[in-house]
Amino acid sequence: MTNILIDKIKELKKDKNFVILSHFYVNDEIQEIADFVGDSYYLSKAATNCTEKNILFCGVRFMGESAKILNPEKRVFMADMNADCPMAHMVDVEKIKEVKESYDDLAVVCYINSTALIKTYSDVCVTSANAVKIVKELKEKNIYFIPDSNLGKFIAKQVPEKNFIFNDGYCPVHAEITAEDVIKTKKAYPNALVLSHPECTEEVLSISDYIGSTSGIIKFAKEHNNKEFIICTENGIFYELKNNCPGKTFFEVKEKQICPDMKLITLEKVLDVLTNLNNEIILDNETIKAAKKPLLRMHEIAK
Ligand code: 13P
Ligand code: SF4
């Protein structure tokens, strides 16, 4: 059954001039059929660099929106329209306006995990792969970092010359990973190194051996000569970790390190979108124009 589905997906993808982009957190079989799999920064570049007219995004909504904003001439479809990152909504326009009025010399730095509307009020976007470099290069002294407080605090420590204003957004999936969990797992596997995503809490980050984006974690595990690693991020990353690191062992800190939104995506849904062309991302021109500026600025500074 699965093979029939995969064959149909491949056929339709070619016939209808689609590229399939997938994040590391989606189910293994989706990563397997995707043309490009990567972290949010890589995927936003892949959306621009691909030559296909249509993009099918296997990830959460902000990723599809960013692809559309950067490439308005392409049609972008979501494998599941309900796959949405809750953190992307954890800041509102009124709050941004308030902070803008309270500070001179302010840059609104917006994690790519945010809605298109929030991006229109932002000066520059960042992902966990490029945030430190970008914030360091901004001329403004005051940085309002939205929506993720954990990533904001992680960056602030590395850019002490800036004054950070934090927002109280967070990722519910990473927030579930506690320092106690990590310590318990480390006791069970004392030789393992702890690799964490910067969306984890400050307490977890403070006992981590490496902190980085999903692709940063994979690269570190691949290049390091240690054989065991404790992984503090969503468990979809294990697929790529195991494929890239034969002979190495990876441990979760809890049973369910799962982003329910990412896991909504199935082969059946991918096939349905390719067949019926539903779930298209539609954004008005004004939003695209305004949200494109901070995304382009990110690409410009990060390259
Ligand atoms: P990356 O950009 O590191 O892949 O992270 C995206 C994300 O949603 C983490 O929860
Ligand atoms: Fe959003 Fe967290 Fe899921 Fe990443 S893991 S998409 S930040 S809810």
Side-chain angles (χ1 to χ4, degrees):
M1 180 62 189
T2 307
N3 283 345
I4 301 174
L5 273 177
I6 293 173
D7 287 346
K8 279 192 186 158
I9 287 171
K10 283 187 180 157
E11 194 187 310
L12 280 174
K13 192 173 69 120
K14 202 165 161 243
D15 288 354
K16 297 194 178 181
N17 198 226
F18 264 88
V19 65
I20 300 183
L21 305 183
S22 153
H23 189 264
F24 291 125
Y25 292 166
V26 299
N27 292 312
D28 298 0
E29 64 274 20
I30 306 292
Q31 297 192 46
E32 212 163 301
I33 54 120
D35 297 296
F36 297 98
V37 186
D39 70 7
S40 333
Y41 179 51
Y42 171 84
L43 292 173
S44 73
K45 280 194 296 186
T48 304
N49 295 340
C50 66
T51 50
E52 288 82 356
K53 287 195 182 78
N54 303 302
I55 296 171
L56 173 47
F57 227 108
C58 299
V60 285
R61 201 178 162 118
F62 76 81
M63 296 176 173
E65 282 184 354
S66 299
K68 179 69 188 173
I69 292 162
L70 286 164
N71 305 281
E73 72 292 351
K74 295 180 186 171
R75 293 181 75 184
V76 180
F77 299 84
M78 297 302 297
D80 188 317
M81 234 3 165
N82 293 318
D84 197 3
C85 170
M87 181 170 51
H89 302 268
M90 289 187 191
V91 63
D92 61 55
V93 168
E94 288 316 307
K95 182 77 200 295
I96 301 174
K97 285 183 182 164
E98 216 176 275
V99 175
K100 276 185 172 178
E101 271 169 28
S102 314
Y103 288 85
D104 290 330
D105 196 22
L106 177 85
V108 179
V109 179
C110 179
Y111 191 23
I112 197 165
N113 296 42
S114 51
T115 63
L117 177 70
I118 292 304
K119 289 184 176 74
T120 67
Y121 287 85
S122 304
D123 296 302
V124 64
C125 287
V126 296
T127 75
S128 50
N130 57 37
V132 172
K133 175 179 165 64
I134 290 176
V135 172
K136 272 189 179 160
E137 291 200 18
L138 296 177
K139 62 176 193 341
E140 291 85 354
K141 171 84 180 159
N142 299 308
I143 305 296
Y144 180 34
F145 194 88
I146 54 172
D148 187 17
S149 61
N150 289 320
L151 178 62
K153 286 174 190 163
F154 169 69
I155 300 159
K157 284 207 179 96
Q158 294 168 79
V159 196
E161 64 275 22
K162 303 277 185 193
N163 174 47
F164 275 74
I165 303 113
F166 301 112
N167 172 67
D168 54 12
Y170 65 97
C171 162
V173 180
H174 288 85
E176 289 261 305
I177 300 170
T178 66
E180 291 72 37
D181 294 329
V182 178
I183 292 165
K184 216 165 94 191
T185 317
K186 183 85 187 170
K187 270 200 186 128
Y189 307 107
N191 296 325
L193 293 177
V194 179
L195 316 186
S196 300
H197 194 279
E199 286 174 16
C200 289
T201 64
E202 258 182 305
E203 295 75 32
V204 168
L205 298 183
S206 70
I207 52 172
S208 298
D209 298 295
Y210 172 80
I211 302 163
S213 70
T214 48
S215 54
I217 289 174
I218 294 162
K219 187 169 183 281
F220 184 92
K222 210 170 149 181
E223 291 173 359
H224 203 282
N225 55 18
N226 213 59
K227 290 279 181 245
E228 296 185 341
F229 301 90
I230 294 166
I231 304 298
C232 300
T233 191
E234 213 271 356
N235 76 8
I237 199 172
F238 282 73
Y239 176 74
E240 190 77 7
L241 282 170
K242 286 176 186 163
N243 281 347
N244 275 278
C245 310
K248 297 189 179 179
T249 315
F250 300 95
F251 306 103
E252 283 186 271
V253 286
K254 13 179 24 101
E255 239 171 74
K256 284 205 158 53
Q257 282 170 214
I258 284 175
C259 174
D261 287 271
M262 291 280 190
K263 299 299 196 240
L264 284 174
I265 295 151
T266 62
L267 287 174
E268 286 80 1
K269 289 178 187 175
V270 169
L271 180 61
D272 185 52
V273 172
L274 290 171
T275 308
N276 300 309
L277 301 184
N278 43 3
N279 297 350
E280 183 169 2
I281 297 271
I282 306 288
L283 293 168
D284 62 80
N285 289 340
E286 227 173 280
T287 302
I288 289 180
K289 202 171 156 218
K292 198 173 182 174
K293 276 190 205 154
L295 279 169
L296 282 181
R297 199 162 169 217
M298 168 179 83
H299 280 279
E300 188 51 40
I301 303 176
K303 80 179 173 209

